[in-house]
Amino acid sequence: MSTALASSTELRLVEHVARIAEEHPPIRLDSVDFTVKRPREFEARFGHVLDYMARVELEVDRNVLELTTMLPDPPEIDRHFYADVWQPQEIQHGLILDRLQVELGRESAEADLDSIGLKLKVLGALAHLSPFQDVCRMLYYLTGMATERTAVLAYNQLYRGTLDLGEDAVANTIIGQIKRQEPGHYAFYQISARGLWAELAAWQRWMVRLMRRVSFSPVGANNARQKADFGDVMTTLGIDKAPDDFAEQIARVEKELLWARDRGLRVPDYVSRAFHEAVELARARTHLPHLPR
Ligand SMILES: [Fe+2]
Ligand SMILES: [Fe+2]
């Protein structure tokens, strides 16, 4: 990418981050209403979805730790975004959703806040070599896109489901407020991913494709239990009926950038496989209730 193009990406990012910081301050606790008319019904239907989303949102603090390991020397706009804008918004999403589930009589989410996998540590060590840092950055943007797009779709479904149950206070003051903040995060990663992909050399692109293939997982699903939990979330939100449509929406830009050569490809196979696997694990667990939840 030419320097002019690179700096136009950077300019767009600077403007974008300034705008979301201005338009979307972290949600204040006193702006939400935890009133639930029929807590038992609401908990039975959506309790586990709240728990999953609360955990993923609260794990933002581990994500920041992972980021600083994986990207020891990030561009200033990335640092500004994740430290000053993104983290303060996401942590509020987590705290508010967690408080809601506690109000419904559930346990708090069990967020894993400090374990960084060996894989990331290795990446972090390699990232000190600058050409490799760009590979890591690209993986970070791709993960960010998939994560934020999942959040947008999940909160849309949860918002509708909550309204359908007549829980207007939760729908409008909690889910509605949270869901409005996610598209701005998605846009940040999308602009970044498009800009950086254009700058990568062929070997870096090859490496990104390879690493994506071996490491993709749905947001927050880091082991079999969490994958099954994610499958349950998909089922409750009605996404299990068309996992490939869901995968397609999650990975649209990733497909366009990484797999443009494979014309006619609907969705990268590792994305589709991951969502099918989550639904299958959840179904298997329903039939084998002795498995740990
Ligand atoms: Fe969020
Ligand atoms: Fe987000």
Side-chain angles (χ1 to χ4, degrees):
M1 175 156 68
S2 70
T3 323
L5 233 139
S7 62
S8 95
T9 295
E10 204 189 321
L11 191 67
R12 278 184 71 196
L13 286 170
V14 169
E15 285 171 1
H16 178 69
V17 174
R19 191 170 60 242
I20 55 180
E22 155 100 26
E23 289 173 8
H24 296 285
I27 300 169
R28 289 169 36 164
L29 207 57
D30 63 11
S31 74
V32 309
D33 180 352
F34 291 103
T35 308
V36 179
K37 293 180 213 150
R38 289 179 302 165
R40 215 174 285 159
E41 286 85 345
F42 187 61
E43 193 280 326
R45 181 135 175 79
F46 290 121
H48 72 104
V49 177
L50 298 174
D51 182 60
Y52 196 92
M53 300 308 282
R55 175 175 65 79
V56 170
E57 298 278 13
L58 288 170
E59 286 179 353
V60 66
D61 282 340
R62 192 193 70 222
N63 299 150
V64 168
L65 214 67
E66 287 172 347
L67 261 170
T68 51
T69 307
M70 194 169 146
L71 300 179
D73 182 25
E76 172 52 24
I77 186 63
D78 290 67
R79 197 213 53 77
H80 172 52
F81 173 69
Y82 74 68
D84 306 330
V85 180
W86 178 73
Q87 190 275 352
Q89 290 184 8
E90 303 288 33
I91 199 75
Q92 282 308 100
H93 299 176
L95 293 171
I96 290 166
L97 291 172
D98 203 42
R99 162 89 183 271
L100 175 60
Q101 75 162 336
V102 169
E103 297 265 329
L104 296 173
R106 298 177 56 93
E107 300 274 312
S108 253
E110 273 178 52
D112 174 358
L113 297 183
D114 50 17
S115 70
I116 295 188
L118 180 64
K119 217 165 43 183
L120 271 175
K121 287 186 184 148
V122 173
L123 279 183
L126 289 168
H128 284 92
L129 311 167
S130 150
F132 202 80
Q133 160 134 296
D134 285 344
V135 171
C136 290
R137 263 174 71 206
M138 192 67 212
L139 292 169
Y140 158 56
Y141 299 147
L142 292 170
T143 302
M145 273 199 295
T147 300
E148 301 293 352
R149 195 80 192 109
T150 303
V152 170
L153 296 175
Y155 285 130
N156 279 341
Q157 296 296 101
L158 181 59
Y159 175 74
R160 260 176 248 148
T162 304
L163 276 184
D164 285 348
L165 289 186
E167 301 295 351
D168 295 17
V170 169
N172 294 320
T173 74
I174 299 182
I175 317 298
Q177 283 209 81
I178 293 175
K179 92 189 180 88
R180 274 196 294 280
Q181 300 199 325
E182 305 295 357
H185 304 163
Y186 176 75
F188 175 85
Y189 296 119
Q190 186 184 167
I191 299 166
S192 303
R194 287 183 185 283
L196 181 58
W197 186 253
E199 279 183 65
L200 296 183
W203 73 267
Q204 291 173 312
R205 291 180 171 193
W206 177 85
M207 185 131 247
V208 168
R209 291 190 188 101
L210 174 78
M211 299 196 59
R212 226 23 212 158
R213 215 175 241 297
V214 298
S215 67
F216 181 85
S217 63
V219 55
N222 303 309
N223 54 46
R225 189 182 91 166
Q226 291 178 344
K227 278 181 195 160
D229 290 344
F230 186 76
D232 282 335
V233 168
M234 290 174 71
T235 304
T236 296
L237 297 180
I239 296 167
D240 64 317
K241 292 185 201 84
D244 284 337
D245 291 347
F246 180 64
E248 198 175 356
Q249 294 191 60
I250 302 289
R252 190 181 301 138
V253 174
E254 175 160 347
K255 185 195 76 175
E256 181 194 321
L257 296 177
L258 274 60
W259 310 102
R261 296 175 307 190
D262 300 344
R263 278 164 210 285
L265 175 76
R266 200 177 149 208
V267 59
D269 57 346
Y270 50 89
V271 179
S272 169
R273 207 182 314 124
F275 291 122
H276 280 276
E277 190 197 357
V279 172
E280 280 154 23
L281 282 169
R283 284 187 190 144
R285 187 168 65 179
T286 321
H287 299 303
L288 299 166
H290 60 277
L291 289 182
R293 283 194 70 89

